[in-house]
Amino acid sequence: MRLVFATSGVYNGDLKTAGEGNSGLEGGDNICNSLAQTAGLPGTYSAWLSAARISAQDRITRIEGPYYLPSADGKPDIKVVDDFADALECEGTFPNRICLDAPINRDENGATVRGRVWTYTRENGNAFGDKDQDACGGWESSNPGDACGSSSTGGCGRYGESASDRTFWTSDSFARCDAEMRLYCFQD
């Protein structure tokens, strides 16, 4: 059994600075591990983040067995997926494709959270595209873009919704990089 949670804190698109990393992806991982350690959670964690040509699914150690949400009493009770591969397989017809058994809507302390979560990741775990400017400059920028979406000129990042168990859990829309959002953290 492994844990997965949405962070209690929110961050702009400059995760490199927020997490004191050598890169934006490392900064995201550092945030996850710091929060997990403070909450007394076991193991190490990777942020569910992609950047240009770097997919979230390739950054997380794949394990057999379920992922659960942390609980306030320390006894995880809500299963999110049967195993890591299950998180990458959605059933049904878009936009109602069900991907998770339960939304990732608890933080590292087991408190219920809602809101947007930085990802730049498609429902299959792959990066949304190959342009770092669409992932807040590889998660190293909080500069707002002039426009977000398919014609983005930079300053935007893709996000998911922590309240969703459907494809929107990881890929809902774009937002400016000065917006503050949570991260998903998967135990390795």
Side-chain angles (χ1 to χ4, degrees), residues 52 120 130-138 152-157 177:
Y120 194 61
D130 62 359
K131 298 176 187 170
D132 264 343
Q133 74 257 25
D134 292 337
C136 296
S152 173
T153 59
C156 295
C177 296

Side-chain angles (χ1 to χ4, degrees), residues 1-6 48 65-71 76-90 98-107 161-166 169-170 184-187:
M1 176 184 78
R2 295 284 195 258
L3 297 174
V4 59
F5 62 88
W48 179 258
Y67 280 85
Y68 282 82
L69 298 173
S71 64
D77 58 345
I78 298 177
K79 182 178 65 160
V80 175
V81 291
D82 293 323
D83 57 31
F84 187 78
D86 192 31
L88 308 177
E89 298 170 359
C90 300
I98 298 173
C99 304
L100 308 175
D101 295 341
I104 304 172
N105 64 354
R106 283 191 189 168
D107 68 16
E161 292 285 344
S162 66
S164 182
D165 62 353
R166 306 193 187 276
W169 81 271
T170 187
Y184 290 127
C185 303
F186 278 76
Q187 185 177 5

Side-chain angles (χ1 to χ4, degrees), residues 40-122:
L41 299 180
T44 59
Y45 293 78
S46 294
W48 179 258
L49 289 169
S50 296
R53 296 172 298 281
I54 301 171
S55 295
Q57 69 163 328
D58 297 330
R59 301 182 61 250
I60 297 170
T61 304
R62 294 175 183 243
I63 63 141
E64 295 295 324
Y67 280 85
Y68 282 82
L69 298 173
S71 64
D73 65 4
K75 299 176 184 172
D77 58 345
I78 298 177
K79 182 178 65 160
V80 175
V81 291
D82 293 323
D83 57 31
F84 187 78
D86 192 31
L88 308 177
E89 298 170 359
C90 300
E91 298 175 359
T93 307
F94 186 83
N96 293 311
R97 294 172 51 82
I98 298 173
C99 304
L100 308 175
D101 295 341
I104 304 172
N105 64 354
R106 283 191 189 168
D107 68 16
E108 66 278 2
N109 299 302
T112 301
V113 295
R114 291 185 61 110
R116 295 174 173 176
V117 184
W118 291 121
T119 67
Y120 194 61
T121 307
R122 296 181 184 277

